[in-house]
Amino acid sequence: MQRIEYSAEIADLLGRVRRRPAAGWPWRPEEPVPQWLPVKQSWGWLFARDGRVLTLVNPKDGIVSLPGGSLEPEDGGDPGAALAREAAEEAQAVIGPAHYLGYLYDRVGSANGGHECARVRMAARLCAVGPSAPDPASGRHYRRLLVAPGLAVELLGWGEPGLRQARAAVGAAVRQLGVPAAANEAIEELPMAGCEVFPISG
C-alpha cells in the first residue's frame, strides 16, 4: 500500500477537519432527474490529471466540501453552468465541460423550502486555479487540497454511499477525461497564487 504523503501544515489542517453528519439522501447513479423534480444544487468531482480531486476545507470550522452549490437564475437551469460558476467563486477554479453522474434525492427538501428536490453530481477536469480569494457569496476563504477520491469521501464523512458516488465519478473520469483509475495518493495544497492543473488541451 502506497504511503500517503503530506506536509506538517496539511497535517495540522486535517487534524481540525470536522465531518458533517450523513444526510442519507438516496444516490441515483446515471438516472436522469425526473421532470417533476426540481434540481436545486450541483456539486462536482473535479479531477486533476493524476486522478486526484479538489476538496475545499474551511479552516475556521474544519468542514470539508466539494465545489458546488445552489443553482442561481444566471445559470439558466443548467447544473453544469452552476458548477462552473460555483467552482470559480469558491475555489477560483477553471473547469472543463461537466459530465453528469446522477443525483441525490432529497425527500425533505432542505435546499427547496421543505419540498423534495434533486442534488446533482457531476465530474469535470480541474484545468487551473487562480489566486486564492474569499467566496463572494459567503466570505469563506477555503484551503484547496488535491486528494485521492477515496480520501475525499473520508474527509467528507460520506461513508459507503459516498464511496459508491466516488466510484461513479472515477469511472466517468477514466472513460471521459483520461485520468488513471488509481489516483496519486499524495495530499497537496494548491498554491495561494494559483496554478495550472489539467489543461483542456492535455
Side-chain angles (χ1 to χ4, degrees):
M1 184 174 181
Q2 184 177 352
R3 182 171 65 90
I4 296 176
E5 300 177 359
Y6 49 87
S7 68
E9 184 179 7
I10 290 177
D12 177 67
L13 178 63
L14 296 181
R16 290 181 275 123
V17 162
R18 184 165 60 86
R19 294 164 180 82
R20 287 192 178 106
W25 301 313
W27 167 235
R28 310 292 195 208
E30 299 183 1
E31 290 184 25
V33 178
Q35 290 190 350
W36 55 266
L37 188 64
V39 175
K40 287 297 179 179
Q41 291 191 330
S42 178
W43 300 78
W45 295 85
L46 306 184
F47 285 85
R49 189 190 299 273
D50 61 9
R52 291 180 294 178
V53 294
L54 178 64
T55 56
L56 306 179
V57 184
N58 184 348
K60 290 187 177 179
D61 60 15
I63 293 292
V64 179
S65 61
L66 296 178
S70 298
L71 274 69
E72 301 292 348
E74 61 263 38
D75 302 321
D78 180 0
L83 175 59
R85 177 185 53 75
E86 288 282 357
E89 291 176 355
E90 295 176 341
Q92 302 71 57
V94 177
I95 68 172
H99 302 275
Y100 179 77
L101 299 173
Y103 71 96
L104 295 165
Y105 172 58
D106 181 356
R107 181 179 57 81
V108 176
S110 54
N112 190 31
H115 302 284
E116 58 191 343
C117 64
R119 298 170 182 255
V120 164
R121 293 293 187 265
M122 309 192 87
R125 282 186 177 96
L126 174 62
C127 301
V129 294
S132 182
D135 178 358
S138 66
R140 296 177 184 139
H141 199 132
Y142 295 103
R143 305 276 289 274
R144 307 172 295 188
L145 299 183
L146 289 181
V147 303
L151 179 57
V153 172
E154 173 63 23
L155 295 174
L156 291 159
W158 287 356
E160 182 59 33
L163 283 174
R164 291 196 294 272
Q165 189 182 136
R167 290 187 191 109
V170 170
V174 169
R175 293 189 305 272
Q176 300 178 38
L177 306 180
V179 306
N184 182 346
E185 293 288 342
I187 302 171
E188 177 185 356
E189 182 166 14
L190 295 175
M192 294 282 288
C195 64
E196 189 176 71
V197 180
F198 191 160
I200 292 176
S201 59

